[in-house]
Amino acid sequence: MSQEKLAKEIVELVGGEKNVESLVHCATRLRFVLKDDAKADKAKLEKTEGIIAVKENGGQFQVVVGNKVPEVYNAIGQISNILDDSSNKEKPGKKAKGIGGIIDIISSIFAPLLGVMAGAGILKGLLLIASNIGWLETTETTYTILYAAADSLFYFLPLLLAVTTARKFQGNMFVAMTIAGALIYPSIVTLKAEGTPTDFFGIPVILMNYSSTVIPIILAVIVMSKLEKFFNKTLHDSVKNFVTPLFLLVIMVPLTLLVFGPFGVYVGNAIAAGLVAAFGFSPLLAGAVMGASWQLLVIFGIHWGLIPVFINNVAVYGQDGVKPAATASIFAQTGAAFGVMLKTKNKKLKTLAGSSTLTALFGITEPAIYGVTLPLKRPFIAGVIGGAVGGAIIGQAGTLAFASGAPGLLTLPIFYGPGGQGFPGLILGIVVSFVVSAVLTYIMGFKDPVEEEETKSDSTSSAQQPARTMNASDEEVFSPIQGTIVELSEVPDPAFASGAMGKGIAIEPAVGRVVAPFDGTVTVAFKKKHALAVVSDTGAEILVHVGVDTVKLDGQHFVSHIKEGDRVQAGDLLLEFDIAQIKAAGYHTVTPIIVTNSANYEEVIPQATGQVDTQELLLKLNSGKGEE
């Protein structure tokens, strides 16, 4: 599916553009704040091709799409006004409260910066390695230029946070950036460096070093956005465009230097000091807790509360001893996904687990967690155990992070400091976490999604094998509908007409009844009743989709007689529908009959033309194997 089509479906299924209050994205997720969560069709989103999972955490409606999230995000911007900074200002939607509200604010502010922050962190880590082993001297101009590229984001972090905070609180981002710029303006920095006594109209100013800080500018911009709305409502339209920014600068810059700046720095330092103290008390225990819990925090979105602490530690102390243990959790879930790949007999799951393992090695664990380990349960538990073991090793080793960046193979250089102290412990910890999780996953096992079905299919096929002839079809599919044969390519739906869903045929129904095309089991009975899927006792998978876009009827004019898991015999009544009513509602009734596992057969051969009755031979599925 193209990114544009996926973007269009996502916007439609979250309730439409008018239901979106705001949207940001992180490494793998689209993070919506919706005006009414009830308008979003979560179930259909989860079944949409290209979507890994849908989560509701921290006041956000999160759609996990994996590594392609920037492309999907940009596509949403192309097909809608959701990303327009001027949109949705007049009628703000519901706001999350309490802890959920705080997490929503933090994630919205930091998520847009994660990509460039990771890139800058990697470069900074590589420069640390290069200087420590003597490849580059810190006095060389080459080092100076590259270090500027790596460190500029962190030095000017207040400017970037001013932009994202202003977007979140619908304030003027240019005024916000100007306030942030004042905090790191050269003359202010000089006053702090020289220890010059500073006051503002006689009020003492406690100067701080605001480069790389987080909390002061966030607090300042939140207050600024409130004042901006007040002034814009109070001032006349003829002057507010320039008087409001004037008032904001005159009020907010001194107020930030006097109050928000020192308060923010003290609070940030206190939180950071508390976590550092925990690792100082028992690095082994603290590391184990962090390694075990980090991915749990990610699932619930709570990890966003710790990201500012990591950044603050690096900014204030030049290093962070909390974040390294979280790396064990990343590699533990990677190992669990790898264990699933080794253990499963399901080809689709094996492919998914393999690709998720590769992605997770680079720090993107959502596909592995939501697509593999969490649905299977035991592998996720194995990952938690492996993360605890690896985290304990890393904590005890005293590993430190010297720059920001999402943990993964590419960002390992950010943990390499002077002399490489603690770095061997990090490598040992992530290797152990990976191996322990993979081994535990393999030993503990899990319920393979199709293991039982495949066993049944294999045994049935073996029992029936002697009856085959050299050129006989492996499967016969009888018509589930009475009507007129239509070529699949003529169905007015590209997904079916192109064969993307599988090979097959279509029928324009004369009677609104669907019967079982063979003996088998109902595997899918859609809630909207417009479609169903049946698998035969020998493994043929058939999808019957009554009409085109009839899902929009929401079950009207359909009567289902089955549920998932039902055993059916050829000719059993599965579904009834009202042809006249469906057509009156403006929908086509032509019905594709698709062999969804067509790849398992060498040929899918239509057997009927013109008029066809129920239980008349419709398709032959030939594997080409025959009997030897």
Side-chain angles (χ1 to χ4, degrees):
M1 181 183 295
S2 68
Q3 311 306 353
E4 292 76 14
K5 185 176 181 181
L6 179 58
K8 185 177 180 180
E9 290 197 21
I10 290 173
V11 172
E12 179 182 342
L13 293 174
V14 297
E17 183 176 339
K18 293 182 179 179
N19 193 42
V20 179
E21 169 63 22
S22 64
L23 170 64
V24 296
H25 76 84
C26 57
T28 60
R29 308 183 193 192
L30 295 167
R31 297 174 174 270
F32 290 91
V33 175
L34 302 180
K35 295 177 181 178
D36 184 358
D37 287 349
K39 292 182 178 180
D41 192 337
K42 183 178 179 182
K44 190 168 182 181
L45 274 167
E46 289 176 328
K47 294 179 180 178
T48 299
E49 180 185 352
I51 294 176
I52 297 170
V54 179
K55 302 292 175 182
E56 294 180 73
N57 291 322
Q60 295 181 330
F61 192 87
Q62 302 172 11
V63 181
V64 185
V65 296
N67 292 337
K68 61 189 175 186
V69 67
E71 290 82 2
V72 178
Y73 178 83
N74 290 334
I76 290 176
Q78 293 293 322
I79 66 168
S80 71
N81 295 316
I82 291 174
L83 306 187
D84 184 351
D85 290 322
S86 65
S87 65
N88 297 323
K89 283 190 175 183
E90 297 301 322
K91 297 180 180 180
K94 66 172 183 61
K95 302 292 183 182
K97 298 180 180 180
I99 297 298
I102 294 172
I103 291 171
D104 170 47
I105 290 171
I106 295 174
S107 63
S108 297
I109 291 171
F110 284 94
L113 303 178
L114 290 184
V116 65
M117 191 174 289
I122 293 169
L123 179 55
K124 201 168 185 180
L126 291 173
L127 288 173
L128 284 170
I129 294 175
S131 62
N132 285 335
I133 64 179
W135 287 356
L136 272 178
E137 295 294 333
T138 56
T139 54
E140 293 181 47
T141 54
T142 299
Y143 180 91
T144 301
I145 292 171
L146 290 175
Y147 192 82
D151 195 53
S152 62
L153 177 143
F154 303 102
Y155 185 88
F156 294 107
L157 188 59
L159 286 167
L160 300 175
L161 293 176
V163 173
T164 56
T165 307
R167 288 191 64 174
K168 173 63 180 174
F169 288 91
Q170 299 162 348
N172 187 315
M173 68 176 64
F174 300 106
V175 175
M177 290 177 67
T178 304
I179 295 170
L183 298 181
I184 54 178
Y185 193 72
S187 60
I188 300 294
V189 173
T190 300
L191 289 176
K192 164 64 177 173
E194 295 178 351
T196 304
T198 306
D199 68 85
F200 181 74
F201 289 117
I203 303 174
V205 176
I206 303 174
L207 290 176
M208 300 283 182
N209 180 10
Y210 293 110
S211 63
S212 304
T213 56
V214 172
I215 299 178
I217 191 60
I218 292 176
L219 293 175
V221 174
I222 291 173
V223 174
M224 181 215 80
S225 68
K226 305 298 182 184
L227 286 176
E228 180 184 358
K229 290 178 176 62
F230 169 77
F231 287 131
N232 282 338
K233 289 180 180 178
T234 304
L235 296 172
H236 193 273
D237 288 346
S238 62
V239 297
K240 70 180 182 181
N241 285 343
F242 53 87
V243 174
T244 293
L246 169 64
F247 285 173
L248 293 177
L249 291 175
V250 170
I251 294 172
M252 291 308 306
V253 172
L255 189 61
T256 302
L257 291 172
L258 286 167
V259 180
F260 300 133
F263 175 78
V265 170
Y266 288 142
V267 169
N269 290 351
I271 295 173
L275 287 173
V276 170
F279 273 80
F281 173 74
S282 176
L284 188 143
L285 178 60
V289 171
M290 179 64 73
S293 64
W294 180 252
Q295 289 300 326
L296 289 169
L297 300 180
V298 170
I299 289 173
F300 292 104
I302 303 173
H303 68 300
W304 285 105
L306 292 176
I307 288 176
V309 177
F310 299 158
I311 297 173
N312 186 81
N313 281 344
V314 174
V316 175
Y317 305 112
Q319 60 192 35
D320 170 54
V322 181
K323 181 179 182 176
T327 308
S329 184
I330 301 290
F331 284 88
Q333 290 299 325
T334 307
F338 183 70
V340 171
M341 185 190 74
L342 296 179
K343 181 83 171 178
T344 183
K345 296 178 181 178
N346 181 339
K347 292 180 180 179
K348 290 182 179 179
L349 180 57
K350 187 179 289 290
T351 300
L352 175 61
S355 62
S356 299
T357 298
L358 183 61
T359 304
L361 284 172
F362 296 97
I364 308 300
T365 56
E366 278 86 349
I369 293 175
Y370 296 124
V372 182
T373 65
L374 194 58
L376 297 176
K377 298 181 179 64
R378 288 181 183 177
F380 184 81
I381 295 171
V384 170
I385 296 171
V389 176
I393 293 172
I394 293 171
Q396 189 63 37
T399 307
L400 300 172
F402 298 91
S404 297
L409 281 181
L410 290 178
T411 53
L412 291 182
I414 70 175
F415 302 103
Y416 190 94
Q421 182 178 0
F423 191 71
L426 174 80
I427 300 301
L428 177 61
I430 62 177
V431 170
V432 169
S433 63
F434 182 94
V435 172
V436 167
S437 300
V439 171
L440 282 178
T441 297
Y442 198 90
I443 293 173
M444 293 167 60
F446 48 87
K447 185 177 181 181
D448 207 325
V450 296
E451 190 173 20
E452 293 178 5
E453 179 182 311
E454 288 180 344
T455 301
K456 180 192 295 183
S457 175
D458 290 344
S459 62
T460 305
S461 297
S462 297
Q464 295 179 349
Q465 188 68 30
R468 293 185 181 175
T469 62
M470 285 290 291
N471 55 3
S473 170
D474 285 331
E475 187 80 47
E476 291 182 336
V477 179
F478 297 94
S479 180
I481 292 177
Q482 178 183 342
T484 304
I485 296 295
V486 177
E487 291 290 336
L488 196 61
S489 60
E490 296 178 11
V491 174
D493 185 324
F496 293 112
S498 66
M501 299 288 291
K503 298 177 182 179
I505 202 165
I507 298 176
E508 181 62 54
V511 178
R513 289 166 52 90
V514 178
V515 301
F518 40 52
D519 297 348
T521 303
V522 176
T523 55
V524 179
F526 288 89
K527 293 181 180 179
K528 304 296 178 70
K529 306 174 186 177
H530 66 294
L532 56 90
V534 185
V535 61
S536 74
D537 291 336
T538 51
E541 300 171 4
I542 300 297
L543 170 69
V544 180
H545 192 288
V546 179
V548 176
D549 288 335
T550 47
V551 64
K552 296 177 182 178
L553 290 171
D554 200 27
Q556 295 183 65
H557 317 312
F558 290 93
V559 177
S560 177
H561 297 280
I562 44 91
K563 63 181 183 297
E564 292 181 6
D566 281 354
R567 283 283 305 164
V568 294
Q569 302 294 318
D572 285 353
L573 179 62
L574 307 181
L575 179 69
E576 291 181 287
F577 55 96
D578 191 320
I579 298 174
Q581 290 291 343
I582 294 172
K583 287 183 175 180
Y587 295 93
H588 291 282
T589 55
V590 62
T591 299
I593 299 161
I594 305 297
V595 183
T596 54
N597 62 337
S598 298
N600 292 353
Y601 299 94
E602 186 176 273
E603 294 178 297
V604 175
I605 310 168
Q607 299 295 305
T609 58
Q611 300 298 313
V612 65
D613 201 353
T614 53
Q615 291 301 285
E616 185 177 334
L617 184 59
L618 185 69
L619 298 169
K620 283 189 176 183
L621 315 182
N622 196 326
S623 69
K625 294 179 181 179
E627 185 181 274
E628 298 179 357

